[in-house]
Amino acid sequence: MRKSIATVCLSGSLTEKLTAAARAGFDGVEIFENDLLASLLSPEEVRARTADLGLGIDLYQPMRDVEAVPEEDFVRNLRRAERKFDVMRRLGTDTLLVCSNVSPHALDDDTLAADQLGRLADLAQEFGIRVAYEALAWGRHVSTYDHGWRIVEQADHPALGVCLDSFHILSRGSEPKDLEGVENIPGEKIFFLQLADAPLMAMDVLQWSRHYRCFPGQGGLDVTSLVRHVVNAGYRGPLSLEVFNDVFRQADAGSTAVDALRSLIALEESAGIAPLPALVVPSGVAFAELATADPQPVTELLAGLGFQRTGRHAGKPVELWEQGNARILLNHGTDTPHSRLRSSGDTPIDGTALAAIGLETPDPRSAADRAESLLAPVLPRRRREADISLDAVAAPDGTELFFCATRRPEHPDWTSDFTPTVGSADGIVTGVDHVALTQPWHHFDEAVLFHRTVLGLRPHESVDLADPYGLFRSRALSDETGAFRLVLNLAPSPAAETRTRAQHIALATDDITSAVRRIRAAGAELLAIPANYYDDLDARYVFAPGELDMYRELDILYDRDEHGGEFRHCYTATVGRVFFEIVQRTGGYRGYGAVNAPVRLAAQRR
């Protein structure tokens, strides 16, 4: 289906917004009236600009407080509408959005509303324009889509139809049965479909709408079901995004537009409109690649954690360090993922950084095909003819994701690029439990959508973590079994991000106390935990004799879930922008020890 986006979704001038929409691949735009009013371009110049970019203008919006008013007010509204219709003719667009009246002076009279909308449609028809009537969730008297449709049906005018907006319908808590009524509206009378998602929040619906909308798949509304019903009704017009979001209005318009189009492509798949290459869900972490200009502190830390250097790349300054099934690539060359990794200010990130993750993937080629179909940037890779070919894409934060099959005979094995060195992979670490990535402040929702749609990961609930200087927002994603886990964190503010954008790799062990004793004996520094924390643990839980004393001695943090599952973990010092976590899960524990995050964050600040 045709894909469109309202200019209100994007930051910048009208020209910048149009350019971003076109570059992302949209077919059309909704021109938000304020964007036109603030532009130096005439309507004719806007029309020419959109045509040059390959865009159509699918809607002009909005016109407010038109219907169900005293006659003298309506006469003034018709005069206003005539001027707007002339502007639309100059723009070359034929559909006007009219919102249900929110004025306290509006009259509760459906017959009057239908009559006045019919007269408005009479005038519109003279200009070759259609009027799409939208029921706002906070409309004075018309606030539901079925009420809006009854008024349109009563007016019975060929130039008058409805605009359905997913936010206005779903924000009112519509049940699945409530959405079935959409199919009672003839498809040809659904003039336009606007789409937005939103996180589930207990707040005034107007403020919720104006500040917290997001793209489909980023929130908690069932946009997919609504789209299915609208398509079943016979609607064949554009799928158009109308998202009011404070972050999007400040973020780069180009990346926001790409994220927006990705959301519509994924929505088409989930609604059964257009298929995509099948999901290929990662089954684990093949490797984590650290890039650094100074390898010594990292090699000392890896050795202290029990890793051994088991290979060197045959053609690049990259080392393979292993322990159990955990693999770390240490890249200290000049042409590295690290040199391309960017912060939100578009400046290189200094110091050791987690630059790439190898995703253990059942079918790497199919995984790459799906990623490309969902607009993931495919990354070129400089390689020798003898090197194994690995497909890679960039995540929204710049982290490179490689699709790998490790030591499986049916697929090329990336480890064959490494010349073995003396060293054993045996150790007390069994593998990578999860990887945590701190996102640039304006990429958090984009990152959630990216990893959900491209990799097929299931998002968990967002949690807020108290940092001494603000709140971190954190959201975990995983496959259904928990074999692959990823945590996305959002720094408290753009300013805080520049000093706290650390990434971390959590290493799994079956015996954390033995692991910590070995790490300390090897001279590696672990994060010191205050005594007050252990006093609180003593108040909250009953431990076996000596157990709590051992945690206190070894700086191990502890959590227990409602099912009796237990989580023991500790942290290394930070090297550059990377630190390691050692974790032990027992009893089916599936969380991440979020209750301990404030203590950890405060300790890292110190």
Side-chain angles (χ1 to χ4, degrees):
M1 297 179 73
R2 184 176 175 84
K3 298 175 183 66
S4 186
I5 186 170
T7 55
V8 75
C9 300
L10 304 171
S11 66
S13 67
L14 179 57
T15 300
E16 291 169 327
K17 295 179 182 198
L18 296 175
T19 300
R23 286 179 176 172
F26 279 94
D27 303 304
V29 293
E30 302 177 33
I31 299 288
F32 192 64
E33 184 174 56
N34 287 353
D35 285 322
L36 180 66
L37 299 182
S39 176
L40 293 176
L41 300 179
S42 68
E44 290 82 3
E45 289 171 325
V46 173
R47 179 178 185 170
R49 177 62 176 161
T50 54
D52 289 344
L53 291 169
L55 295 169
I57 301 177
D58 294 326
L59 185 76
Y60 187 67
Q61 62 125 329
M63 190 167 180
R64 304 181 186 276
D65 299 338
V66 173
E67 84 292 1
V69 296
E71 180 62 21
E72 61 272 21
D73 292 338
F74 184 67
V75 169
R76 287 194 293 270
N77 289 342
L78 282 180
R79 178 182 177 277
R80 175 162 55 103
E82 185 173 11
R83 302 294 179 89
K84 299 303 178 186
F85 293 153
D86 183 60
V87 169
M88 291 175 63
R89 185 164 55 184
R90 295 166 64 194
L91 282 171
T93 186
D94 66 356
T95 305
L96 172 70
L97 178 69
V98 172
C99 302
S100 62
N101 205 319
V102 300
S103 169
H105 304 297
L107 305 173
D108 188 7
D109 187 336
D110 284 4
T111 299
L112 178 62
D115 175 70
Q116 292 181 344
L117 286 173
R119 291 163 62 189
L120 178 69
D122 278 335
L123 180 61
Q125 197 169 38
E126 295 178 14
F127 287 82
I129 288 171
R130 307 183 308 167
V131 173
Y133 183 58
E134 176 184 63
L136 298 180
W138 52 89
R140 179 70 173 178
H141 302 297
V142 180
S143 58
T144 62
Y145 79 89
D146 50 343
H147 191 178
W149 163 238
R150 290 196 301 272
I151 292 174
V152 168
E153 188 176 31
Q154 184 176 342
D156 191 24
H157 195 289
L160 179 66
V162 295
C163 172
L164 300 180
D165 183 303
S166 64
F167 180 85
H168 292 300
I169 295 171
L170 299 172
S171 64
R172 298 181 60 86
S174 300
E175 297 293 330
K177 60 181 177 58
D178 300 325
L179 301 181
E180 294 173 2
V182 168
E183 298 190 29
N184 296 326
I185 305 174
E188 66 273 12
K189 296 300 287 184
I190 303 175
F191 283 2
F192 211 74
L193 175 63
Q194 293 181 317
L195 299 169
D197 204 340
L200 300 180
M201 306 175 77
M203 67 182 306
D204 173 74
V205 69
L206 178 58
Q207 295 304 310
W208 189 19
S209 172
R210 286 287 179 259
H211 301 283
Y212 297 101
R213 292 197 198 192
C214 53
F215 297 130
Q218 294 178 337
L221 303 180
D222 190 3
V223 181
T224 297
S225 291
L226 175 64
V227 171
R228 284 199 194 105
H229 287 299
V230 175
V231 171
N232 289 343
Y235 176 75
R236 296 296 181 266
L239 300 177
S240 189
L241 297 165
E242 187 198 41
V243 172
F244 300 87
N245 184 291
D246 294 346
V247 173
F248 295 172
R249 287 167 171 162
Q250 301 173 67
D252 173 70
S255 61
T256 302
V258 171
D259 186 37
L261 188 61
R262 179 182 297 123
S263 76
L264 287 184
I265 294 171
L267 180 62
E268 284 189 317
E269 179 189 40
S270 63
I273 297 170
L276 291 175
L279 274 170
V280 182
V281 183
S283 57
V285 176
F287 64 80
E289 181 173 355
L290 304 181
T292 184
D294 181 9
Q296 182 176 347
V298 192
T299 58
E300 290 176 354
L301 178 57
L302 290 174
L305 289 170
F307 283 84
Q308 295 198 41
R309 185 190 294 111
T310 59
R312 286 190 176 88
H313 196 281
K316 300 176 182 177
V318 180
E319 301 170 350
L320 172 60
W321 290 69
E322 294 186 82
Q323 184 175 186
N325 287 319
R327 305 176 194 89
I328 305 295
L329 298 185
L330 186 57
N331 188 335
H332 48 89
T334 56
D335 181 25
T336 68
H338 176 250
S339 68
R340 297 186 291 276
L341 195 63
R342 301 287 173 178
S343 72
S344 62
D346 199 35
T347 56
I349 292 176
D350 298 324
T352 301
L354 174 58
I357 303 171
L359 305 175
E360 198 64 55
T361 310
D363 186 347
R365 182 63 257 170
S366 295
D369 288 343
R370 179 176 178 85
E372 190 169 359
S373 73
L374 283 160
L375 311 180
V378 177
L379 298 174
R381 181 170 178 247
R382 292 181 60 183
R383 52 184 290 272
R384 302 173 309 149
E385 186 175 344
D387 289 349
I388 295 298
S389 178
L390 289 180
D391 294 301
V393 298
D397 67 348
T399 302
E400 299 189 356
L401 304 177
F402 288 85
F403 300 108
C404 305
T406 305
R407 295 170 180 149
R408 282 183 280 151
E410 68 273 21
H411 294 288
D413 180 16
W414 62 272
T415 63
S416 63
D417 286 344
F418 291 81
T419 303
T421 60
V422 177
S424 168
D426 295 337
I428 202 162
V429 166
T430 58
V432 174
D433 182 88
H434 64 274
V435 177
L437 305 173
T438 301
Q439 300 298 299
W441 68 276
H442 56 287
H443 283 313
F444 189 81
D445 289 331
E446 179 184 358
V448 172
L449 179 68
F450 177 94
H451 291 95
R452 184 183 68 78
T453 58
V454 173
L455 303 183
L457 302 180
R458 179 173 59 90
H460 301 268
E461 292 296 320
S462 291
V463 296
D464 290 331
L465 310 176
D467 177 84
Y469 299 94
L471 285 179
F472 268 85
R473 181 181 172 197
S474 183
R475 193 168 194 184
L477 301 96
S478 70
D479 68 339
E480 291 296 330
T481 67
F484 179 81
R485 303 182 183 94
L486 179 70
V487 178
L488 303 176
N489 296 322
L490 180 66
S493 67
E497 174 200 324
T498 60
R499 66 175 186 272
T500 63
R501 193 181 161 192
Q503 321 282 40
H504 87 262
I505 302 166
L507 304 171
T509 182
D510 295 328
D511 186 352
I512 193 169
T513 56
S514 295
V516 171
R517 293 187 193 281
R518 289 191 187 185
I519 291 168
R520 283 188 165 180
E525 182 183 356
L526 295 178
L527 204 61
I529 304 301
N532 293 333
Y533 167 79
Y534 296 100
D535 291 342
D536 179 64
L537 276 187
D538 194 23
R540 289 192 289 130
Y541 301 115
V542 176
F543 293 98
E547 183 180 0
L548 182 60
D549 291 336
M550 180 176 60
Y551 297 156
R552 191 191 306 265
E553 173 198 350
L554 300 178
D555 291 310
I556 293 173
L557 297 103
Y558 177 89
D559 188 32
R560 186 185 302 169
D561 65 24
E562 65 272 21
H563 306 295
E566 295 178 296
F567 190 64
R568 299 166 177 86
H569 57 139
C570 62
Y571 297 89
T572 70
T574 302
V575 175
R577 302 215 174 194
V578 177
F579 61 94
F580 289 87
E581 180 184 10
I582 313 298
V583 309
Q584 180 182 357
R585 299 174 182 271
T586 58
Y589 184 97
R590 302 192 69 168
Y592 299 85
V595 68
N596 296 324
V599 175
R600 185 260 297 179
L601 289 165
Q604 287 178 317
R605 291 287 190 176
R606 288 192 296 275

